[in-house]
Amino acid sequence: MKKIITLAALFFSFVSFAQVKVLETVPVEKLGKVNNNYIQKIGDEYTVYYTIVQSDDDSTLRKFSFKNIDNAYNSLYSIIMGGFTATPLYDIKLELPNNYIWLHYTGNVVPDKATVQFMVSGKERDAATNNVSEPFVKDQINKLFQK
C-alpha cells in the first residue's frame, strides 16, 4: 500500500510541475477580404492588412491594429463611410495607439466613384515613412468590413 501511495504521489508531482503547459488559445477570425486586403480579428483586437501602392521591396502588405474599445470597429467603419458622403470630400486624420491614419478621399465628381485610401504613418519608429493603400470604392469598404 505504501508503494502505491508513493507511486501516486510521485506521479502527481510530475504532472503538476511539467514543462509543457496548455494555454488558452484565442480564435483568429478573418473578416472581409478585397483583393489582398483583409481584416483579421483576434480576441478584441482588429488588424487591417492593406496593399500599398508604391513599394521598393517585395513585401507590399502592411497593417495597422486597434482594440475594439468603445465599439471602435464600427466607429471606424462609420467614419470611413461618412467621408464618402461629405461635400466636398476632405481628408480625415485618425489617431490609433501606434499609428496616425489619414483617410484620403478622391473623385467626388461622379457619384459612386469616390475612393478612399489609407495613408498610415507610425507614431514612433517609422514616423517619417508613410504607407498609402490602394484606393477603395464604397462597395469594397462594405465588403472589407463585412457590412
Side-chain angles (χ1 to χ4, degrees):
M1 183 69 174
K2 287 184 180 182
K3 288 183 182 180
I4 293 174
I5 294 174
T6 305
L7 187 60
L10 186 64
F11 175 76
F12 286 119
S13 68
F14 280 122
V15 171
S16 64
F17 296 108
Q19 292 181 15
V20 178
K21 295 180 183 177
V22 177
L23 299 176
E24 180 182 345
T25 57
V26 180
V28 176
E29 295 178 56
K30 199 172 202 179
L31 302 176
K33 183 175 181 183
V34 174
N35 301 331
N36 290 333
N37 309 289
Y38 62 95
I39 298 178
Q40 177 177 292
K41 179 184 175 193
I42 302 174
D44 68 341
E45 183 172 276
Y46 289 88
T47 304
V48 177
Y49 292 89
Y50 60 95
T51 305
I52 60 174
V53 290
Q54 294 178 345
S55 175
D56 295 334
D57 59 9
D58 294 334
S59 176
T60 60
L61 201 61
R62 300 286 192 267
K63 66 180 179 176
F64 61 88
S65 300
F66 58 94
K67 291 192 181 263
N68 194 26
I69 298 171
D70 296 329
N71 207 12
Y73 178 74
N74 288 324
S75 294
L76 177 61
Y77 172 76
S78 297
I79 291 168
I80 293 170
M81 295 308 285
F84 281 112
T85 58
T87 304
L89 294 180
Y90 60 93
D91 290 356
I92 300 171
K93 184 176 180 180
L94 305 172
E95 181 179 6
L96 296 179
N98 298 318
N99 302 94
Y100 292 110
I101 300 173
W102 286 264
L103 302 175
H104 177 67
Y105 293 90
T106 57
N108 62 342
V109 176
V110 180
D112 297 328
K113 294 297 181 187
T115 63
V116 64
Q117 289 178 286
F118 304 132
M119 300 170 71
V120 182
S121 67
K123 281 187 175 178
E124 298 166 5
R125 195 179 60 156
D126 305 52
T129 306
N130 283 334
N131 295 312
V132 180
S133 74
E134 63 184 54
F136 298 101
V137 295
K138 198 174 192 179
D139 289 340
Q140 290 176 318
I141 293 294
N142 285 329
K143 187 175 178 183
L144 190 63
F145 280 81
Q146 283 191 330
K147 302 288 183 177

